[in-house]
Amino acid sequence: RAEVVINGSSSPAVVDRSNESIKHNIQPASAKWRHNQTLSLRIRKQILKFLDAEKDISVLKGTLKPGDIIHYIFDRDSTMNVSQNLYELLPRTSPLKNKHFRTCAIVGNSGVLLNSGCGREIDTHSFVIRCNLAPVQEYARDVGLKTDLVTMNPSVIQRAFEDLVNATWREKLLQRLHSLNGSILWIPAFMARGGKERVEWVNELILKHRVNVRTAYPSLRLLHAVRGYWLTNKVHIKRPTTGLLMYTLATRFCNQIYLYGFWPFPLDQNQRPVKYHYYDSLKYGYTSQASPHTMPLEFKALKSLHEQGALKLTVGQCD
Ligand code: CTP
């Protein structure tokens, strides 16, 4: 056993590798949690020194033109050309321009959401962010339906839509996109070279079928800026996960931030098995050296912020 201080917090937490989930115990949802407005504002101000969600949430039309060459953020030697379709779908103004919400929900994809009954609570928030086109209809009781922004890593097209190999999969993706019904679809198109074609397929579908979504493509500096903020605060992440990116962005336009479905551990607080994702059979891979994410480390930081009232983590059942 070793003692560590989480994220500069004064309360030490004990690391016990034999039982990952116990040390992350969070008070049940009903326990007293108070929002710390002063701390939230301080965090917003600090983050603004590194990035501005209003700008960094998307590259705008005015800043690129078709044919421009972009170096991928994680594969600097590889480049892509801005296609006509991508150009068409770039927003003219930030989808978050002058936006402020009283409460926001960020819904991670952990299986801890299953049987949580959190759907209704999630849907009461003013702005709901979801990750990686995770399905909602079949899980509405636990995850809710409201979606104001949803992310889509290009890898999702392979993992959840079989790389659109046939008309059935293309139709499935199209239906999912149609169901977004005016919300923001946030596509990290410039991160890694592997996603090039997948982004193009999605762009083409959206244009061809006049899908009602507001597309956004994060700025080239966002990832490094987010990482910079957390590193400065002694959270030594390798590559921020989508969930952490969303929290960091949300501090700009949300007064209170509520996190659901953040639980990167195979056992819950009562030692029951937890699926990695609530909707598929993907296994825990974050412990492997190859994984670019450091989810348990991120979780510790988020837990520390929960304890200080800067955000609220729900990892059990909702009231
Ligand atoms: N998450 C979590 N615990 C899990 C699974 C997910 O806390 N067991 C959170 C992470 O913050 C994650 C977010 O929920 O970023 C969305 O999950 P997922 O779609 O798996 O996101 P990523 O791992 O970031 O996506 P990718 O593997 O494509 O990078």
Side-chain angles (χ1 to χ4, degrees):
R1 280 177 166 238
E3 285 210 324
V4 291
V5 174
I6 297 170
N7 194 24
S9 133
S10 54
S11 59
V14 174
V15 173
D16 177 357
R17 299 223 170 275
S18 65
N19 203 340
E20 277 279 335
S21 62
I22 286 179
K23 70 174 191 283
H24 298 294
N25 260 1
I26 298 267
Q27 299 286 302
S30 55
K32 276 213 163 56
W33 172 90
R34 281 181 69 125
H35 178 230
N36 184 339
Q37 178 81 8
T38 317
L39 179 59
S40 297
L41 289 175
R42 200 161 71 225
I43 291 172
R44 175 184 295 171
K45 243 173 145 174
Q46 279 175 0
I47 292 177
L48 270 166
K49 290 185 187 152
F50 291 80
L51 62 126
D52 180 352
E54 201 175 288
K55 296 199 179 75
D56 290 307
I57 188 165
S58 187
V59 173
L60 299 181
K61 237 194 188 91
T63 63
L64 287 179
K65 53 183 186 319
D68 278 355
I69 293 171
I70 289 181
H71 286 259
Y72 286 104
I73 297 162
F74 293 120
D75 304 292
R76 295 295 302 161
D77 295 339
S78 299
T79 57
M80 62 170 277
N81 282 15
V82 174
S83 67
Q84 186 64 39
N85 282 350
L86 176 61
Y87 178 75
E88 302 264 318
L89 289 169
L90 290 176
R92 281 185 198 285
T93 51
S94 166
L96 290 180
K97 196 169 170 54
N98 299 326
K99 294 279 188 234
H100 288 284
F101 302 101
R102 200 177 70 77
T103 71
C104 296
I106 306 176
V107 187
N109 285 335
S110 165
V112 81
L113 279 165
L114 292 171
N115 297 317
S116 68
C118 286
R120 203 179 318 176
E121 182 179 315
I122 290 173
D123 284 352
T124 61
H125 292 289
S126 338
F127 194 81
V128 180
I129 299 175
R130 298 183 189 271
C131 301
N132 284 324
L133 280 184
V136 285
Q137 287 293 344
E138 314 88 294
Y139 304 93
R141 205 186 145 268
D142 294 329
V143 309
L145 291 168
K146 183 170 158 62
T147 303
D148 297 288
L149 183 153
V150 64
T151 71
M152 193 211 85
N153 285 348
S155 57
V156 169
I157 301 304
Q158 179 202 10
R159 230 191 280 140
F161 297 95
E162 297 287 331
D163 262 344
L164 311 183
V165 284
N166 56 36
T168 312
W169 286 105
R170 284 196 291 279
E171 187 55 31
K172 268 197 181 159
L173 175 62
L174 188 59
Q175 288 316 316
R176 182 73 187 97
L177 295 174
H178 276 308
S179 74
L180 296 177
N181 206 11
S183 50
I184 301 168
L185 177 64
W186 191 83
I187 309 177
F190 315 124
M191 303 288 178
R193 65 177 169 209
K196 193 176 188 165
E197 283 157 342
R198 293 171 185 136
V199 173
E200 281 304 313
W201 296 337
V202 174
N203 289 343
E204 203 182 307
L205 268 187
I206 292 172
L207 287 168
K208 190 169 160 199
H209 298 273
R210 297 170 188 272
V211 177
N212 180 21
V213 284
R214 287 181 291 155
T215 38
Y217 305 85
S219 81
L220 292 168
R221 55 174 228 136
L222 177 71
L223 230 104
H224 292 303
V226 169
R227 191 162 169 262
Y229 166 75
W230 290 99
L231 288 181
T232 307
N233 283 279
K234 303 191 180 68
V235 181
H236 295 278
I237 46 175
K238 283 196 263 178
R239 190 192 289 188
T241 64
T242 306
L244 193 72
L245 280 175
M246 289 301 118
Y247 166 71
T248 315
L249 289 172
T251 57
R252 172 76 162 96
F253 55 94
C254 302
N255 272 355
Q256 297 184 15
I257 300 178
Y258 294 75
L259 267 45
Y260 304 85
F262 283 66
W263 186 259
F265 310 107
L267 295 178
D268 72 8
Q269 303 198 98
N270 301 314
Q271 305 306 298
R272 285 178 304 229
V274 177
K275 288 178 69 186
Y276 182 68
H277 282 160
Y278 67 82
Y279 52 88
D280 64 19
S281 51
L282 209 69
K283 297 281 177 259
Y284 282 84
Y286 64 83
T287 46
S288 89
Q289 282 298 314
S291 167
H293 296 320
T294 24
M295 269 198 209
L297 205 70
E298 288 187 4
F299 184 84
K300 272 190 203 167
L302 295 173
K303 185 185 173 230
S304 168
L305 292 172
H306 165 90
E307 283 157 1
Q308 297 169 71
L311 58 83
K312 185 173 179 193
L313 263 173
T314 297
V315 298
Q317 296 204 323
C318 287
D319 295 331

